[in-house]
């Protein structure tokens, strides 16, 4: 193959270029995968609208056998059962594919081998303390984002019902389909912007939080004065901005802020905090009216903006190999020797800069390290040849 004909120096240069190419579009790649959440929400809402239509549960006339919306409880029970059955089909297909078709690659095996080699040095408390400020950023922002994101998603029915009181069950779910379409647009606009150096993850998240906070605040303030049209418009735009910002960036930043050995653990902790936020919203919002829900979402967005400013880091175009190099030196108590991009001020959080939780940055450090490794390999090769000649 082409790789086997390369010299060690050429192979390292080839790997460096491949890693650089991956880093340049890493945010876009992760976002497009995560956007399937929005695709699922849109497709699911379309299925639900079709089921409601074919079950003829769109009327508003009430009778002794119908509820306040003019819908039959028995028919709606059948709608929900069919809806969950359809979802179960897709989940079953995924489980079969994951179990029988999808296999782990060589990269996963290398990471496991390296993790086993470092196992004695990987003291969880010691390592997590080192990454704690960044974990506060990823977990805290995910927690706050999901209060607004899932709070509005789970209570979209009552919210659209209060925004358009005269609407039927079918029209309310029609509004939900349109809202999910706006939300899906937010994912793809994020994919276009997230890797641009002038935007990046952190600026996109800050802008999204700020705009959402203002939109939610306006929605709550004008709720009892404005008509359904302006309120629905505000709802759609806020749904777009949640995804063109914090919902996407909280996922992406948690996926790229940690080294390979800790990435799943810290991403999982962050996701757990996000679901805790969703649970809190489910419990809290059931006791609030619609304007109060908007005010809470506005306050949460302002708090998310503060968390982003103080604890979030922007790793746009930073190679994930930097994390591995930093962790290697940290575990060997040689952290002061690391002078890579993770020490660059533009890739540090405000908290890390204020508290001095970083080392010195040298833009030539990585190139010097590569040169030293190349020299070491060359010297090892010379020594091997001399040893062979001596033995002969």
């Amino acid at each position: 193959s082409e790789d086997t004909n390369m010299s060690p120096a050429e192979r390292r240069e080839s790997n460096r270029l491949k890693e650089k190419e991956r880093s340049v579009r890493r945010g876009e790649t992760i976002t497009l995968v995560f956007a399937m959440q929005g695709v699922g929400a849109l497709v699911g809402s379309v299925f639900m609208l079709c089921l409601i239509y074919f079950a003829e549960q769109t009327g508003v006339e009430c009778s002794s056998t119908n509820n306040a919306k003019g819908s039959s409880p028995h028919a709606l029970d059948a709608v929900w059962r069919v809806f969950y059955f359809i979802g179960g089909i897709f989940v079953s297909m995924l489980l079969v594919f994951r179990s029988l078709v999808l296999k782990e690659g060589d990269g996963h095996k290398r990471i496991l081998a390296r993790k086993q080699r470092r196992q004695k040095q990987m003291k969880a408390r010691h390592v997590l303390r080192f990454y704690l400020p960044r974990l506060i950023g990823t977990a805290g922002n995910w927690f706050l984002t999901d209060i607004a994101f899932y709070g509005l998603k789970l209570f979209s029915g009552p919210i659209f019902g209060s925004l358009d009181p005269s609407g039927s069950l079918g029209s309310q779910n029609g509004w939900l389909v349109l809202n999910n379409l706006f939300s899906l647009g937010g994912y793809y606009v994020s994919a276009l912007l997230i890797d641009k150096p002038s935007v990046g993850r952190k600026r996109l998240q800050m802008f999204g939080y700020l705009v959402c906070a203002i939109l939610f605040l306006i929605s709550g303030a004008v709720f009892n004065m404005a008509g359904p049209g302006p309120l629905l418009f505000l709802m759609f735009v806020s749904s777009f901005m949640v995804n063109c910002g914090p919902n996407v960036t909280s996922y992406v930043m948690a996926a790229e802020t940690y080294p390979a050995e800790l990435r799943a653990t810290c991403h999982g902790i962050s996701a757990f905090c996000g679901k805790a936020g969703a649970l809190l919203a489910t419990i809290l919002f059931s006791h609030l009216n619609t304007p109060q829900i908007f005010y809470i979402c506005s306050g949460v967005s302002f708090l998310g903006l503060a968390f982003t400013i103080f604890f979030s880091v922007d790793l746009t175009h930073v190679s994930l190999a930097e994390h591995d190099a930093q962790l290697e030196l940290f575990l060997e108590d040689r952290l002061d020797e690391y002078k890579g991009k993770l020490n660059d001020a533009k890739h540090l959080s405000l908290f890390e800069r204020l508290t001095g939780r970083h080392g010195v940055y040298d833009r030539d450090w990585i190139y010097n390290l590569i040169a030293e490794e190349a020299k070491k390999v060359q010297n090892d090769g010379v020594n091997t040849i001399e040893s062979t000649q001596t033995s002969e």
Side-chain angles (χ1 to χ4, degrees):
S1 66
E2 184 178 347
D3 286 348
T4 57
N5 295 327
M6 291 182 179
S7 67
E10 290 173 333
R11 191 175 296 112
R12 280 192 299 273
E13 179 64 16
S14 175
N15 291 335
R16 186 185 70 82
L17 293 174
K18 289 179 181 177
E19 177 62 27
K20 183 177 180 180
E21 183 180 355
R22 286 193 295 266
S23 300
V24 168
R25 300 189 63 179
R26 184 177 62 239
E28 177 191 358
T29 303
I30 299 174
T31 300
L32 290 176
V33 173
F34 187 59
M36 295 308 295
Q37 179 189 55
V39 173
L42 178 61
V43 172
S45 59
V46 170
F47 271 118
M48 178 57 72
L49 184 62
C50 292
L51 290 172
I52 290 172
Y53 175 78
F54 287 112
E56 298 181 347
Q57 298 303 300
T58 58
V60 294
E61 295 80 8
C62 295
S63 66
S64 60
T65 58
N66 290 349
N67 59 22
K69 278 289 181 184
S71 302
S72 167
H74 296 293
L76 290 179
D77 183 61
V79 167
W80 275 108
R81 290 177 185 275
V82 173
F83 183 74
Y84 277 110
F85 176 75
I86 293 172
I89 293 174
F90 288 102
V91 173
S92 300
M93 292 169 59
L94 177 63
L95 289 175
V96 171
F97 177 77
R98 179 65 181 87
S99 302
L100 303 180
V101 180
L102 188 63
K103 304 296 181 182
E104 297 289 357
D106 294 335
H108 180 257
K109 296 177 182 178
R110 288 196 298 269
I111 291 172
L112 285 179
R114 188 173 63 193
K115 190 172 184 178
Q116 291 175 353
R117 177 172 56 84
R118 293 174 170 177
Q119 199 66 45
K120 294 181 180 179
Q121 299 170 298
M122 291 281 287
K123 297 178 181 178
R125 184 180 302 177
H126 182 49
V127 173
L128 288 176
R129 188 184 300 119
F130 177 70
Y131 290 99
L132 182 60
R134 297 191 171 192
L135 189 59
I136 291 174
T138 57
N141 278 304
W142 207 329
F143 172 80
L144 295 169
T145 297
D146 278 7
I147 291 178
F149 179 76
Y150 282 101
L152 293 175
K153 285 285 185 183
L154 293 171
F155 287 86
S156 57
I159 289 173
F160 283 117
S162 58
L163 292 177
D164 185 15
S166 62
S168 66
L169 187 62
S171 66
Q172 288 180 19
N173 279 271
W175 292 125
L176 181 60
V177 171
L178 189 56
N179 184 64
N180 287 336
L181 186 60
F182 272 85
S183 297
L184 184 60
Y187 288 97
Y188 290 108
V189 173
S190 285
L192 291 174
L193 298 175
I194 198 167
D195 283 322
K196 294 185 180 297
S198 58
V199 180
R201 292 86 161 113
K202 188 170 182 177
R203 289 192 185 98
L204 188 61
Q205 182 161 293
M206 290 169 59
F207 180 73
Y209 270 135
L210 180 61
V211 175
C212 285
I214 295 172
L215 290 172
F216 290 140
L217 186 62
I218 294 173
S219 298
V222 305
F223 183 82
N224 293 319
M225 298 177 289
L231 291 173
L232 287 169
F233 175 77
L234 288 170
M235 184 70 177
F236 294 151
V237 176
S238 62
S239 295
F240 174 87
M241 288 307 306
V242 166
N243 291 296
C244 185
N247 187 44
V248 165
T249 52
S250 60
Y251 184 91
V252 173
M253 293 166 81
E256 64 179 11
T257 302
Y258 308 101
E261 287 88 340
L262 300 173
R263 193 167 298 139
T265 299
C266 293
H267 195 276
I269 293 173
S270 301
F272 170 81
C273 290
K275 300 309 159 258
L279 178 61
L280 177 62
T282 304
I283 297 171
L284 178 63
F285 288 6
S286 62
H287 301 288
L288 302 175
N289 57 39
T290 304
Q292 290 172 333
I293 290 176
F294 283 131
Y295 284 133
I296 292 293
C297 290
S298 177
V300 163
S301 298
F302 277 122
L303 191 57
L305 176 61
F307 260 75
T308 303
I309 292 171
F310 280 97
F311 294 109
S312 294
V313 294
D314 193 324
L315 298 178
T316 304
H317 294 183
V318 175
S319 171
L320 297 180
E322 294 280 348
H323 290 299
D324 298 325
Q326 187 186 49
L327 179 63
E328 183 79 30
L329 294 172
F330 171 75
L331 294 175
E332 296 176 0
D333 291 325
R334 298 162 50 207
L335 185 60
D336 57 323
E337 295 182 21
Y338 176 77
K339 299 178 182 179
K341 281 191 174 183
L342 297 180
N343 287 341
D344 189 353
K346 66 182 180 181
H347 300 305
L348 295 168
S349 67
L350 179 60
F351 176 82
E352 289 171 329
R353 295 200 298 270
L354 293 176
T355 58
R357 291 177 63 99
H358 61 89
V360 177
Y361 172 58
D362 181 1
R363 62 184 303 174
D364 296 325
W365 178 78
I366 188 65
Y367 302 108
N368 295 333
L369 181 65
I370 292 173
E372 290 176 5
E373 288 185 353
K375 186 176 181 180
K376 182 179 178 181
V377 170
Q378 185 178 7
N379 291 337
D380 289 344
V382 171
N383 293 335
T384 301
I385 293 174
E386 291 178 350
S387 300
T388 303
Q389 291 175 346
T390 302
S391 63
E392 291 176 352

